Amino acid sequence: QVQLAEFGGGSVQAGGSLRLSCERSGPYVDTYCMGWVRQAPGKEREAVASIDSDGTIRYLDSVKGRFTISQDNTKKFLYLQMSSLKPEDTALYSCATAGDCGWLLLRLHSYWGQGTQVNVSS
C-alpha cells in the first residue's frame, strides 16, 4: 500500500516562510498525480498544488506566486515551499497522490498522509 508522511509544519508570523516535505513509500505508479491538500476547521478541503504525471503544475489561485511545489527525480519526495504566508493559510496540510489530479480531494480515490499543521499568526 502507498504510504505518505509529511514533515515541516510549524507556527510562523504572517509574511514568514515554511517548507513542507513528503516522503512516499510502497508501490508507486508513475502515471499518478502528486500534490498537497489542506483543510482548516470549518472550511472546505482545498487542493493547494499538484504535479501531474506529465509535469504539469497547478496551483490554487490564492497561493499563486507564493507557493512552489516540486519533487525529486525519484519521485520519492514531494515539497511545498511556502512564502509570504497569510493567516488564511493556517490549515492541516496533507501530501496526496491519485490517478488523476482532479481526484486529489476524493478520499476514496486518493492516498493521503496524516498531515502536518501550519499555523500563521497575524
Side-chain angles (χ1 to χ4, degrees):
Q1 59 184 1
V2 174
Q3 293 182 303
L4 303 169
E6 304 93 341
F7 306 90
S11 298
V12 298
Q13 294 284 336
S17 299
L18 284 172
R19 181 177 172 83
L20 306 183
S21 300
C22 169
E23 182 177 2
R24 175 192 61 78
S25 61
Y28 177 73
V29 179
D30 61 11
T31 56
Y32 271 31
C33 172
M34 294 197 71
W36 294 90
V37 302
R38 71 183 183 187
Q39 186 167 30
K43 301 289 186 179
E44 292 293 319
R45 186 174 294 105
E46 302 176 303
V48 177
S50 63
I51 300 178
D52 208 344
S53 58
D54 64 358
T56 300
I57 295 175
R58 294 182 173 85
Y59 294 100
L60 182 68
D61 284 345
S62 62
V63 310
K64 288 180 179 177
R66 301 188 298 117
F67 290 11
T68 301
I69 188 171
S70 61
Q71 61 185 9
D72 73 319
N73 292 332
T74 69
K75 302 186 186 300
K76 182 176 176 63
F77 297 96
L78 184 73
Y79 307 98
L80 186 67
Q81 177 65 49
M82 305 184 294
S83 300
S84 301
L85 283 162
K86 304 175 180 180
E88 52 262 43
D89 294 319
T90 294
L92 181 71
Y93 286 71
S94 297
C95 181
T97 187
D100 185 278
C101 287
W103 300 350
L104 288 177
L105 297 180
L106 304 178
R107 190 66 187 89
L108 296 180
H109 293 84
S110 64
Y111 293 93
W112 296 354
Q114 291 299 304
T116 185
Q117 182 68 36
V118 171
N119 293 310
V120 185
S121 61
S122 60

